[in-house]
Amino acid sequence: MKFRNVLCAALLVGSSVSLKAQTDPATSGSQRFTFSPAYEFLRSTHGNFFNGPSLKVNYNSTSRFKLGLGIEYSSSAVHHDNGYVLYHVKFLPVYANVKYELAKKGKLMPYAEASAGLSFTRYDEATDEEPLKTTKIKENGLYLYGGLGLRYEVCKWFKPFVGMGLKGFQNSFNDLDVNPHGITFHIGVSI
């Protein structure tokens, strides 16, 4: 919990970069990058919740496509998966992100987005038969996300948003791998 609080504070401080410093004089004062701190809520297909902060940084091109990078930290105290009990499950995905703005102008901006990257995972694993005998596990896996969102422009530099989609932290074709996945919601602000 302490790491999550420190990461939340670091993401908020990191995203509050001076707006003047990121202004592009060639595009008459528009922002070069959009910083989007958010809080993620995932309800896995196994009934557990994985929650935590995230930060996306997207380049503001003139097209409707916005390319960027992101990082997230999500965790759960206990997760049951494929006959195992997983304790202190922590995911740190680092990913590439692409957003497509469905409308070009207006205060209300619907968008679609997709992300793919690498998820760094740590947890303590036990079997259902011996839940107190644990083994520390570190794994990496394929992180995937796809979803829709809606952003509202309060002013030029402050745009709250909500979104929902499908997310998998360690996607694979092996159904016995540990892969928390499910419906995800997020809420945040673009600055």
Side-chain angles (χ1 to χ4, degrees):
M1 191 62 140
K2 189 175 184 180
F3 178 74
R4 178 183 290 174
N5 293 340
V6 170
L7 186 61
C8 281
L11 290 176
L12 288 174
V13 169
S15 66
S16 63
V17 173
S18 168
L19 296 174
K20 186 173 180 142
Q22 66 164 332
T23 301
D24 187 0
T27 58
S28 62
S30 67
Q31 290 177 271
R32 286 186 226 165
F33 298 96
T34 300
F35 294 84
S36 300
Y39 200 80
E40 309 272 341
F41 305 91
L42 177 117
R43 172 128 166 49
S44 80
T45 55
H46 294 256
N48 299 101
F49 292 92
F50 291 87
N51 304 326
S54 69
L55 175 66
K56 292 179 197 143
V57 180
N58 290 86
Y59 179 72
N60 284 331
S61 64
T62 56
S63 77
R64 290 186 183 192
F65 285 99
K66 311 294 183 194
L67 300 177
L69 298 173
I71 187 168
E72 176 184 341
Y73 174 77
S74 287
S75 64
S76 181
V78 179
H79 177 66
H80 296 271
D81 200 336
N82 294 329
Y84 292 102
V85 181
L86 312 178
Y87 299 102
H88 312 294
V89 185
K90 298 172 183 138
F91 291 100
L92 184 71
V94 179
Y95 51 87
N97 174 263
V98 62
K99 280 186 186 173
Y100 179 74
E101 296 176 341
L102 300 172
K104 195 77 165 155
K105 299 216 183 239
K107 291 254 185 215
L108 210 53
M109 176 73 67
Y111 62 88
E113 72 177 324
S115 300
L118 185 61
S119 186
F120 302 95
T121 309
R122 299 174 101 180
Y123 55 87
D124 296 334
E125 180 182 72
T127 62
D128 282 337
E129 295 81 31
E130 296 182 76
L132 299 177
K133 184 179 176 186
T134 63
T135 305
K136 291 196 178 297
I137 306 288
K138 290 182 184 178
E139 297 178 325
N140 300 332
L142 176 65
Y143 171 85
L144 294 173
Y145 167 76
L148 299 171
L150 190 61
R151 186 178 70 220
Y152 180 74
E153 184 176 334
V154 174
C155 65
K156 189 174 182 179
W157 307 107
F158 186 76
K159 302 168 189 159
F161 62 86
V162 295
M164 70 175 291
L166 297 173
K167 181 191 299 184
F169 284 109
Q170 288 191 180
N171 295 284
S172 75
F173 292 109
N174 184 352
D175 64 345
L176 298 178
D177 284 346
V178 171
N179 174 23
H181 59 282
I183 297 173
T184 184
F185 300 93
H186 57 269
I187 184 167
V189 63
S190 291
I191 53 175

